[in-house]
Amino acid sequence: MRPALLDPLFASVSSLAGVGPKLADTLARLFGREDADDCRVIDVLFHAPYALIDRRKQPGIALAPQGAIVTVTGRVDRHQPPPNSRSNVPYRVYLHDDTGELTLVFFHAKSSWLEKSLPEGETVIVSGKIDWFNGRASMVHPDHMVTEDRAGELPLVEPVYPLTAGLSPKVLRRAIEQSLERLPDLPEWLDAAFTGKQRFPSLKEAFDCLHNPRDEADIDPQSPSRRRLAYDEFLAGQLSLALVRQRIRKVAGRPVQDKGVLREKIAASLPFSLTNSQTLAIADILKDMAGTDRMLRLLQGDVGAGKTLVALMAMAAAVESGGQAVLMAPTEILARQHLATITPLATAAGITVEILTGKMKAAERREALERIASGEAQIILGTHALFQDSVVYQNLLLAVVDEQHRFGVHQRLRLTAKGISPHMLVMTATPIPRTLVLAAFGDMDVSKLTEKPAGRKPVQTVTVPMERIADIISRLKTAIAEGKKAYWICPLVEESDVSDLMSAEERHAVLTRELGPGVGLVHGRMSGLEKDEVMGGFKAGDLRLLVATTVVEVGVDVPDATIMVIEHAERFGLAQLHQLRGRVGRGAEASSCILLYKGPLGDTGHARLSIMRDTEDGFVIAEEDLRLRGEGELLGTRQSGTPGFRFASLEAHGDLLETARRDASYMIDKDPDLLSPRGDALRTLLYFHRRDEAVRFLSAG
């Protein structure tokens, strides 16, 4: 049970004053929560600023630099409302100080409100961005305006937060102030000597410093308060991983003994031989499964490195040993793709394969459940539906979790919590640097697939400016006429006012006009069924060009697609670009990837595109990605490819991660049920960081 002390923080976000259903939805979107019901006050508290506005700069109007945010104390001279019926003309207010004159500009503003806020003849303080035009200074919609007697209300140092459409900084700030008030005095879960050595403040002081910074140093990733919050986050993660591991190790594994008969049959049906790293990975896995300790291994392989085949060999060993194996994929599209890949190979070895997803009809599902319970189904593929309470296995020996770069520990926890204790193999298509493996998986054994399967040709990658888009379309026309298939990736679904990016829907319309009817469209807002239908048409060849958002990034397999165009490539992260490029070059034909970019490129954008051009090695790309991600980007937004940290950055706080791991394993050794005073405080830490699943592993929890 979550301690009652934390209840104020886990109340719905709509319990905050001024947060109605619409704003609750907006906040849920900003914090990456499924919906408003899942969005809590603590999410607001955990929303970290990425920059600071210093309103203490008061250079005087004439000395204010272009584009700078300044504060001006001046006397209001006159108001100039727009002429009647001219709504496109702004309302202007003129004021002056000892150095010069400033025009305040307002669009669609109520004159009565402006007259009250900025009375003629009064001294006022305004703060905002200065613009110079023809030697005259102006400020459009000042951020703050107060009369001189209310100067104390002007915030001099203001944190800047990541925002989303429909949310103003003022509204967010009100919610943050309320969430800070709700933070109770929590028991200290950190070791006193370590806290002193690191100069960490208390938790309350750390949050206060985060949301009420006095200067740039307070929001620096290396400030003691930010490091304290990062350490707490790492410790909660490492502690929950250590608890999972402890629980997994407690339950002895059942040794899997196979003579390799089924594996040989699968190998004989392959049109190619296994790569060296596949052979090594299979040997490691079989060795782990033959012991009495349960296997917990991570299989890292680049896009198209043949992870599924390695997993199939492990599953065949479990079947030959008289058991069953499951492979869980994050989406139905992927589960069905695994079905298409695995079934012919398994059939060649006489293994029966079953699929189980949430969208099956009731009768279909009932029959599948019967085959699973009786043991007739030997390999079962599916989504998280595989681990629901209604699913009973006859003898589950191996579970393979295909995480496709979603670092979810939860599926593994759910499976273990069911009391089933199979060996576990977690596959990921994102090559992960060592620090990230540690952050996401703890001390897991790792196998890496470093080669591409035989017969795969390298993908030729070129960078092309957007100005040459017409050339690309005409080259595409020729390629499609020759029977080739291509992807065209766009960053958005539909056009929006905020962005000048071409949307997927708009691009689809343009390309259909240019290339004719064989152009499909897939994006995240379509239903699973609609997506499957379009993907099916593309696979079958009825469609020759697929316009898509990044939904195709994960695991879609069309071996005869040979061209990948990525529009606004500078807007994508390296890991994402690499995943997208991996959708082509999966057959024997030469493939190409065209990165369309809009100049001028910043340093990071330039570096990203150069790395993509120079290498196809996913492990090199992963390390570079970690190096290149700006602090603001890593800390201010939740990126695919990094565990969802709010405060911690592997770049800035890597030294704390190793300490957190040692601290967690020391506590689990000394106090496995977390019953000591510090252990009890650490339980609160786990709940505080929404690691409830981990607490269930404590025998006294």
Short mmCIF file of all heavy atoms in Angstrom, two decimals, residues 648-698:
data_model
loop_
_atom_site.label_atom_id
_atom_site.label_comp_id
_atom_site.label_asym_id
_atom_site.label_seq_id
_atom_site.Cartn_x
_atom_site.Cartn_y
_atom_site.Cartn_z
N ALA A 648 17.37 12.90 -14.29
CA ALA A 648 18.68 12.33 -14.51
C ALA A 648 19.06 12.36 -15.97
O ALA A 648 18.22 12.17 -16.84
CB ALA A 648 18.69 10.89 -14.00
N SER A 649 20.33 12.62 -16.23
CA SER A 649 20.85 12.56 -17.59
C SER A 649 22.10 11.70 -17.53
O SER A 649 22.98 11.93 -16.69
CB SER A 649 21.19 13.98 -18.04
OG SER A 649 22.39 13.98 -18.77
N LEU A 650 22.17 10.72 -18.41
CA LEU A 650 23.33 9.83 -18.40
C LEU A 650 24.59 10.59 -18.73
O LEU A 650 25.68 10.26 -18.29
CB LEU A 650 23.11 8.69 -19.39
CG LEU A 650 21.95 7.79 -18.95
CD1 LEU A 650 21.48 6.94 -20.10
CD2 LEU A 650 22.36 6.94 -17.78
N GLU A 651 24.41 11.64 -19.54
CA GLU A 651 25.54 12.49 -19.92
C GLU A 651 26.10 13.20 -18.69
O GLU A 651 27.29 13.19 -18.43
CB GLU A 651 24.98 13.55 -20.89
CG GLU A 651 26.00 14.31 -21.63
CD GLU A 651 26.38 13.61 -22.92
OE1 GLU A 651 26.49 12.38 -22.93
OE2 GLU A 651 26.57 14.32 -23.88
N ALA A 652 25.20 13.85 -17.94
CA ALA A 652 25.64 14.70 -16.82
C ALA A 652 25.84 13.92 -15.52
O ALA A 652 26.64 14.30 -14.68
CB ALA A 652 24.63 15.81 -16.60
N HIS A 653 25.06 12.84 -15.35
CA HIS A 653 25.06 12.18 -14.04
C HIS A 653 25.50 10.73 -14.08
O HIS A 653 25.18 9.94 -13.19
CB HIS A 653 23.64 12.26 -13.44
CG HIS A 653 23.07 13.64 -13.43
ND1 HIS A 653 21.86 13.97 -14.03
CD2 HIS A 653 23.56 14.80 -12.93
CE1 HIS A 653 21.63 15.26 -13.88
NE2 HIS A 653 22.64 15.79 -13.23
N GLY A 654 26.25 10.38 -15.15
CA GLY A 654 26.70 8.99 -15.29
C GLY A 654 27.42 8.46 -14.06
O GLY A 654 27.30 7.29 -13.69
N ASP A 655 28.19 9.36 -13.38
CA ASP A 655 28.95 8.92 -12.20
C ASP A 655 28.02 8.46 -11.08
O ASP A 655 28.37 7.61 -10.26
CB ASP A 655 29.84 10.06 -11.70
CG ASP A 655 29.03 11.29 -11.28
OD1 ASP A 655 28.11 11.69 -12.02
OD2 ASP A 655 29.31 11.86 -10.21
N LEU A 656 26.80 9.02 -11.03
CA LEU A 656 25.87 8.68 -9.94
C LEU A 656 25.19 7.33 -10.19
O LEU A 656 24.75 6.68 -9.26
CB LEU A 656 24.79 9.76 -9.82
CG LEU A 656 25.26 11.14 -9.36
CD1 LEU A 656 24.11 12.13 -9.42
CD2 LEU A 656 25.83 11.09 -7.95
N LEU A 657 25.11 6.93 -11.47
CA LEU A 657 24.40 5.70 -11.80
C LEU A 657 25.08 4.48 -11.17
O LEU A 657 24.44 3.63 -10.55
CB LEU A 657 24.30 5.55 -13.32
CG LEU A 657 23.60 4.30 -13.84
CD1 LEU A 657 22.17 4.21 -13.32
CD2 LEU A 657 23.58 4.30 -15.36
N GLU A 658 26.39 4.42 -11.30
CA GLU A 658 27.15 3.29 -10.75
C GLU A 658 27.02 3.25 -9.22
O GLU A 658 26.84 2.20 -8.61
CB GLU A 658 28.63 3.43 -11.18
CG GLU A 658 29.51 2.24 -10.86
CD GLU A 658 29.05 0.94 -11.51
OE1 GLU A 658 28.78 0.92 -12.72
OE2 GLU A 658 28.97 -0.06 -10.77
N THR A 659 27.07 4.44 -8.59
CA THR A 659 26.92 4.53 -7.13
C THR A 659 25.53 4.03 -6.72
O THR A 659 25.38 3.30 -5.74
CB THR A 659 27.12 5.99 -6.65
OG1 THR A 659 28.30 6.51 -7.25
CG2 THR A 659 27.24 6.08 -5.15
N ALA A 660 24.51 4.46 -7.49
CA ALA A 660 23.13 4.04 -7.18
C ALA A 660 23.00 2.52 -7.29
O ALA A 660 22.32 1.88 -6.47
CB ALA A 660 22.15 4.73 -8.12
N ARG A 661 23.66 1.94 -8.28
CA ARG A 661 23.59 0.49 -8.44
C ARG A 661 24.21 -0.22 -7.23
O ARG A 661 23.65 -1.17 -6.69
CB ARG A 661 24.31 0.07 -9.72
CG ARG A 661 24.19 -1.41 -10.04
CD ARG A 661 24.99 -1.79 -11.26
NE ARG A 661 26.42 -1.71 -11.06
CZ ARG A 661 27.13 -2.63 -10.41
NH1 ARG A 661 26.55 -3.68 -9.89
NH2 ARG A 661 28.44 -2.49 -10.28
N ARG A 662 25.38 0.29 -6.79
CA ARG A 662 26.06 -0.34 -5.63
C ARG A 662 25.23 -0.15 -4.36
O ARG A 662 25.10 -1.06 -3.54
CB ARG A 662 27.46 0.26 -5.46
CG ARG A 662 28.46 -0.23 -6.50
CD ARG A 662 29.89 -0.05 -6.03
NE ARG A 662 30.19 1.35 -5.74
CZ ARG A 662 30.70 2.21 -6.62
NH1 ARG A 662 30.98 1.80 -7.84
NH2 ARG A 662 30.93 3.47 -6.30
N ASP A 663 24.67 1.05 -4.20
CA ASP A 663 23.84 1.36 -3.03
C ASP A 663 22.64 0.40 -2.98
O ASP A 663 22.33 -0.18 -1.93
CB ASP A 663 23.36 2.81 -3.15
CG ASP A 663 22.77 3.37 -1.85
OD1 ASP A 663 22.72 2.61 -0.86
OD2 ASP A 663 22.37 4.55 -1.83
N ALA A 664 22.00 0.21 -4.14
CA ALA A 664 20.81 -0.67 -4.21
C ALA A 664 21.20 -2.11 -3.87
O ALA A 664 20.51 -2.77 -3.07
CB ALA A 664 20.19 -0.60 -5.60
N SER A 665 22.31 -2.59 -4.43
CA SER A 665 22.62 -4.01 -4.18
C SER A 665 23.09 -4.20 -2.73
O SER A 665 22.81 -5.22 -2.11
CB SER A 665 23.61 -4.56 -5.21
OG SER A 665 24.88 -4.02 -4.99
N TYR A 666 23.75 -3.18 -2.14
CA TYR A 666 24.14 -3.25 -0.72
C TYR A 666 22.89 -3.36 0.16
O TYR A 666 22.82 -4.19 1.07
CB TYR A 666 24.96 -2.00 -0.36
CG TYR A 666 25.13 -1.77 1.12
CD1 TYR A 666 26.04 -2.54 1.87
CD2 TYR A 666 24.39 -0.80 1.80
CE1 TYR A 666 26.20 -2.34 3.24
CE2 TYR A 666 24.53 -0.59 3.16
CZ TYR A 666 25.43 -1.36 3.88
OH TYR A 666 25.57 -1.17 5.24
N MET A 667 21.89 -2.53 -0.13
CA MET A 667 20.64 -2.55 0.67
C MET A 667 19.92 -3.89 0.55
O MET A 667 19.43 -4.42 1.53
CB MET A 667 19.70 -1.41 0.24
CG MET A 667 20.00 -0.07 0.84
SD MET A 667 20.20 -0.05 2.64
CE MET A 667 18.53 -0.41 3.22
N ILE A 668 19.88 -4.44 -0.67
CA ILE A 668 19.16 -5.70 -0.88
C ILE A 668 19.89 -6.86 -0.18
O ILE A 668 19.26 -7.77 0.36
CB ILE A 668 18.98 -5.98 -2.40
CG1 ILE A 668 18.09 -4.91 -3.04
CG2 ILE A 668 18.41 -7.36 -2.66
CD1 ILE A 668 16.67 -4.83 -2.51
N ASP A 669 21.22 -6.79 -0.16
CA ASP A 669 21.98 -7.83 0.56
C ASP A 669 21.74 -7.73 2.06
O ASP A 669 21.55 -8.73 2.74
CB ASP A 669 23.50 -7.68 0.30
CG ASP A 669 23.86 -8.13 -1.10
OD1 ASP A 669 23.00 -8.77 -1.74
OD2 ASP A 669 24.98 -7.81 -1.56
N LYS A 670 21.78 -6.48 2.58
CA LYS A 670 21.75 -6.26 4.03
C LYS A 670 20.31 -6.36 4.57
O LYS A 670 20.08 -6.81 5.68
CB LYS A 670 22.33 -4.87 4.30
CG LYS A 670 22.77 -4.66 5.73
CD LYS A 670 23.38 -3.28 5.92
CE LYS A 670 22.35 -2.38 6.54
NZ LYS A 670 22.58 -1.08 6.88
N ASP A 671 19.37 -5.90 3.77
CA ASP A 671 17.99 -5.78 4.25
C ASP A 671 17.03 -6.15 3.11
O ASP A 671 16.35 -5.30 2.55
CB ASP A 671 17.78 -4.31 4.70
CG ASP A 671 16.38 -4.03 5.22
OD1 ASP A 671 15.65 -5.00 5.50
OD2 ASP A 671 16.02 -2.84 5.33
N PRO A 672 17.01 -7.46 2.73
CA PRO A 672 16.29 -7.86 1.50
C PRO A 672 14.81 -7.49 1.49
O PRO A 672 14.22 -7.32 0.44
CB PRO A 672 16.48 -9.37 1.44
CG PRO A 672 17.05 -9.77 2.76
CD PRO A 672 17.66 -8.58 3.39
N ASP A 673 14.18 -7.36 2.68
CA ASP A 673 12.75 -7.02 2.70
C ASP A 673 12.50 -5.54 3.02
O ASP A 673 11.36 -5.14 3.23
CB ASP A 673 12.01 -7.91 3.71
CG ASP A 673 12.02 -9.37 3.25
OD1 ASP A 673 11.91 -9.57 2.03
OD2 ASP A 673 12.17 -10.27 4.09
N LEU A 674 13.60 -4.75 3.07
CA LEU A 674 13.50 -3.31 3.35
C LEU A 674 12.66 -3.04 4.61
O LEU A 674 11.66 -2.33 4.57
CB LEU A 674 12.94 -2.54 2.14
CG LEU A 674 13.76 -2.61 0.85
CD1 LEU A 674 13.12 -1.75 -0.23
CD2 LEU A 674 15.21 -2.20 1.05
N LEU A 675 13.09 -3.65 5.72
CA LEU A 675 12.34 -3.51 6.98
C LEU A 675 13.03 -2.58 7.97
O LEU A 675 12.44 -2.18 8.97
CB LEU A 675 12.11 -4.88 7.62
CG LEU A 675 11.22 -5.84 6.80
CD1 LEU A 675 11.20 -7.22 7.42
CD2 LEU A 675 9.80 -5.30 6.67
N SER A 676 14.33 -2.25 7.72
CA SER A 676 15.06 -1.35 8.62
C SER A 676 14.49 0.07 8.44
O SER A 676 13.75 0.31 7.49
CB SER A 676 16.54 -1.35 8.25
OG SER A 676 16.69 -0.81 6.94
N PRO A 677 14.86 1.01 9.33
CA PRO A 677 14.36 2.39 9.14
C PRO A 677 14.69 2.94 7.75
O PRO A 677 13.86 3.53 7.08
CB PRO A 677 15.07 3.18 10.25
CG PRO A 677 15.34 2.16 11.32
CD PRO A 677 15.60 0.86 10.60
N ARG A 678 15.95 2.73 7.28
CA ARG A 678 16.28 3.24 5.94
C ARG A 678 15.52 2.45 4.87
O ARG A 678 15.05 3.01 3.88
CB ARG A 678 17.80 3.16 5.68
CG ARG A 678 18.12 3.79 4.33
CD ARG A 678 19.54 3.88 3.90
NE ARG A 678 19.59 4.46 2.56
CZ ARG A 678 20.46 4.15 1.63
NH1 ARG A 678 21.43 3.29 1.88
NH2 ARG A 678 20.40 4.70 0.42
N GLY A 679 15.39 1.13 5.10
CA GLY A 679 14.63 0.29 4.16
C GLY A 679 13.20 0.78 4.00
O GLY A 679 12.66 0.86 2.89
N ASP A 680 12.61 1.16 5.13
CA ASP A 680 11.22 1.64 5.10
C ASP A 680 11.13 2.95 4.31
O ASP A 680 10.21 3.16 3.52
CB ASP A 680 10.73 1.84 6.55
CG ASP A 680 9.22 2.01 6.58
OD1 ASP A 680 8.51 1.20 5.95
OD2 ASP A 680 8.75 2.99 7.21
N ALA A 681 12.14 3.82 4.51
CA ALA A 681 12.16 5.09 3.76
C ALA A 681 12.34 4.81 2.27
O ALA A 681 11.75 5.50 1.42
CB ALA A 681 13.30 5.97 4.29
N LEU A 682 13.14 3.78 1.94
CA LEU A 682 13.35 3.44 0.53
C LEU A 682 12.07 2.91 -0.13
O LEU A 682 11.85 3.09 -1.33
CB LEU A 682 14.48 2.41 0.38
CG LEU A 682 15.90 3.00 0.54
CD1 LEU A 682 16.92 1.90 0.70
CD2 LEU A 682 16.28 3.91 -0.62
N ARG A 683 11.20 2.27 0.66
CA ARG A 683 9.90 1.86 0.11
C ARG A 683 9.13 3.11 -0.34
O ARG A 683 8.49 3.12 -1.39
CB ARG A 683 9.05 1.15 1.18
CG ARG A 683 9.50 -0.25 1.50
CD ARG A 683 8.71 -0.76 2.71
NE ARG A 683 9.12 -2.13 3.00
CZ ARG A 683 8.31 -3.19 2.91
NH1 ARG A 683 7.06 -3.04 2.53
NH2 ARG A 683 8.75 -4.39 3.19
N THR A 684 9.22 4.17 0.51
CA THR A 684 8.55 5.43 0.15
C THR A 684 9.14 5.99 -1.14
O THR A 684 8.41 6.47 -2.01
CB THR A 684 8.69 6.45 1.30
OG1 THR A 684 8.23 5.84 2.51
CG2 THR A 684 7.88 7.72 1.04
N LEU A 685 10.47 5.90 -1.29
CA LEU A 685 11.12 6.35 -2.52
C LEU A 685 10.55 5.61 -3.74
O LEU A 685 10.26 6.22 -4.77
CB LEU A 685 12.64 6.12 -2.44
CG LEU A 685 13.41 6.24 -3.76
CD1 LEU A 685 13.56 7.70 -4.19
CD2 LEU A 685 14.79 5.60 -3.68
N LEU A 686 10.38 4.30 -3.60
CA LEU A 686 9.86 3.50 -4.72
C LEU A 686 8.45 3.97 -5.11
O LEU A 686 8.14 4.13 -6.29
CB LEU A 686 9.86 2.01 -4.37
CG LEU A 686 11.25 1.36 -4.29
CD1 LEU A 686 11.15 -0.04 -3.70
CD2 LEU A 686 11.92 1.29 -5.66
N TYR A 687 7.61 4.20 -4.11
CA TYR A 687 6.25 4.69 -4.41
C TYR A 687 6.31 6.10 -5.00
O TYR A 687 5.57 6.44 -5.92
CB TYR A 687 5.40 4.71 -3.14
CG TYR A 687 4.85 3.36 -2.75
CD1 TYR A 687 5.23 2.76 -1.55
CD2 TYR A 687 3.94 2.69 -3.58
CE1 TYR A 687 4.72 1.52 -1.19
CE2 TYR A 687 3.43 1.45 -3.22
CZ TYR A 687 3.82 0.86 -2.03
OH TYR A 687 3.31 -0.36 -1.68
N PHE A 688 7.20 6.93 -4.45
CA PHE A 688 7.34 8.32 -4.88
C PHE A 688 7.68 8.37 -6.38
O PHE A 688 7.20 9.23 -7.11
CB PHE A 688 8.46 8.97 -4.05
CG PHE A 688 8.63 10.46 -4.26
CD1 PHE A 688 7.64 11.35 -3.87
CD2 PHE A 688 9.80 10.97 -4.81
CE1 PHE A 688 7.80 12.72 -4.04
CE2 PHE A 688 9.97 12.35 -4.99
CZ PHE A 688 8.97 13.22 -4.60
N HIS A 689 8.50 7.41 -6.84
CA HIS A 689 8.88 7.36 -8.25
C HIS A 689 8.02 6.37 -9.05
O HIS A 689 8.45 5.88 -10.08
CB HIS A 689 10.37 7.03 -8.40
CG HIS A 689 11.23 8.24 -8.21
ND1 HIS A 689 11.49 9.13 -9.21
CD2 HIS A 689 11.85 8.73 -7.11
CE1 HIS A 689 12.25 10.12 -8.75
NE2 HIS A 689 12.49 9.90 -7.48
N ARG A 690 6.82 6.09 -8.56
CA ARG A 690 5.86 5.22 -9.26
C ARG A 690 6.43 3.84 -9.57
O ARG A 690 6.20 3.28 -10.63
CB ARG A 690 5.41 5.86 -10.59
CG ARG A 690 4.50 7.06 -10.41
CD ARG A 690 4.00 7.49 -11.77
NE ARG A 690 3.03 8.55 -11.67
CZ ARG A 690 1.88 8.59 -12.34
NH1 ARG A 690 1.55 7.60 -13.12
NH2 ARG A 690 1.07 9.61 -12.23
N ARG A 691 7.20 3.30 -8.66
CA ARG A 691 7.74 1.94 -8.84
C ARG A 691 6.93 0.97 -7.99
O ARG A 691 7.49 0.10 -7.32
CB ARG A 691 9.22 1.89 -8.44
CG ARG A 691 10.11 2.84 -9.22
CD ARG A 691 10.48 2.25 -10.55
NE ARG A 691 11.43 3.11 -11.28
CZ ARG A 691 12.03 2.73 -12.38
NH1 ARG A 691 11.83 1.54 -12.88
NH2 ARG A 691 12.85 3.54 -13.02
N ASP A 692 5.62 1.12 -7.98
CA ASP A 692 4.75 0.28 -7.14
C ASP A 692 4.95 -1.20 -7.42
O ASP A 692 4.92 -2.03 -6.52
CB ASP A 692 3.26 0.61 -7.40
CG ASP A 692 2.96 2.09 -7.21
OD1 ASP A 692 3.87 2.90 -7.48
OD2 ASP A 692 1.86 2.42 -6.81
N GLU A 693 5.16 -1.53 -8.72
CA GLU A 693 5.30 -2.94 -9.10
C GLU A 693 6.45 -3.58 -8.32
O GLU A 693 6.37 -4.73 -7.92
CB GLU A 693 5.61 -3.06 -10.60
CG GLU A 693 4.54 -2.49 -11.50
CD GLU A 693 3.77 -3.57 -12.25
OE1 GLU A 693 3.99 -4.75 -11.96
OE2 GLU A 693 2.94 -3.20 -13.09
N ALA A 694 7.53 -2.80 -8.12
CA ALA A 694 8.70 -3.36 -7.45
C ALA A 694 8.41 -3.65 -5.98
O ALA A 694 8.92 -4.63 -5.42
CB ALA A 694 9.87 -2.38 -7.57
N VAL A 695 7.59 -2.81 -5.35
CA VAL A 695 7.30 -2.99 -3.92
C VAL A 695 6.58 -4.32 -3.69
O VAL A 695 6.75 -4.96 -2.66
CB VAL A 695 6.46 -1.82 -3.36
CG1 VAL A 695 6.30 -1.93 -1.86
CG2 VAL A 695 7.13 -0.49 -3.70
N ARG A 696 5.80 -4.76 -4.71
CA ARG A 696 5.06 -6.02 -4.56
C ARG A 696 5.99 -7.22 -4.43
O ARG A 696 5.58 -8.28 -4.02
CB ARG A 696 4.14 -6.23 -5.76
CG ARG A 696 3.00 -5.24 -5.73
CD ARG A 696 2.01 -5.50 -6.84
NE ARG A 696 1.31 -4.25 -7.10
CZ ARG A 696 0.92 -3.84 -8.29
NH1 ARG A 696 1.17 -4.57 -9.35
NH2 ARG A 696 0.28 -2.70 -8.44
N PHE A 697 7.26 -7.02 -4.82
CA PHE A 697 8.21 -8.13 -4.72
C PHE A 697 8.72 -8.35 -3.30
O PHE A 697 9.39 -9.32 -3.03
CB PHE A 697 9.40 -7.89 -5.64
CG PHE A 697 9.05 -8.13 -7.05
CD1 PHE A 697 8.80 -7.09 -7.91
CD2 PHE A 697 8.92 -9.42 -7.51
CE1 PHE A 697 8.43 -7.33 -9.21
CE2 PHE A 697 8.56 -9.66 -8.81
CZ PHE A 697 8.32 -8.62 -9.66
N LEU A 698 8.47 -7.38 -2.43
CA LEU A 698 8.95 -7.54 -1.06
C LEU A 698 8.02 -8.50 -0.34
O LEU A 698 6.81 -8.31 -0.32
CB LEU A 698 8.95 -6.18 -0.36
CG LEU A 698 9.96 -5.20 -0.96
CD1 LEU A 698 9.62 -3.77 -0.60
CD2 LEU A 698 11.35 -5.55 -0.48
#
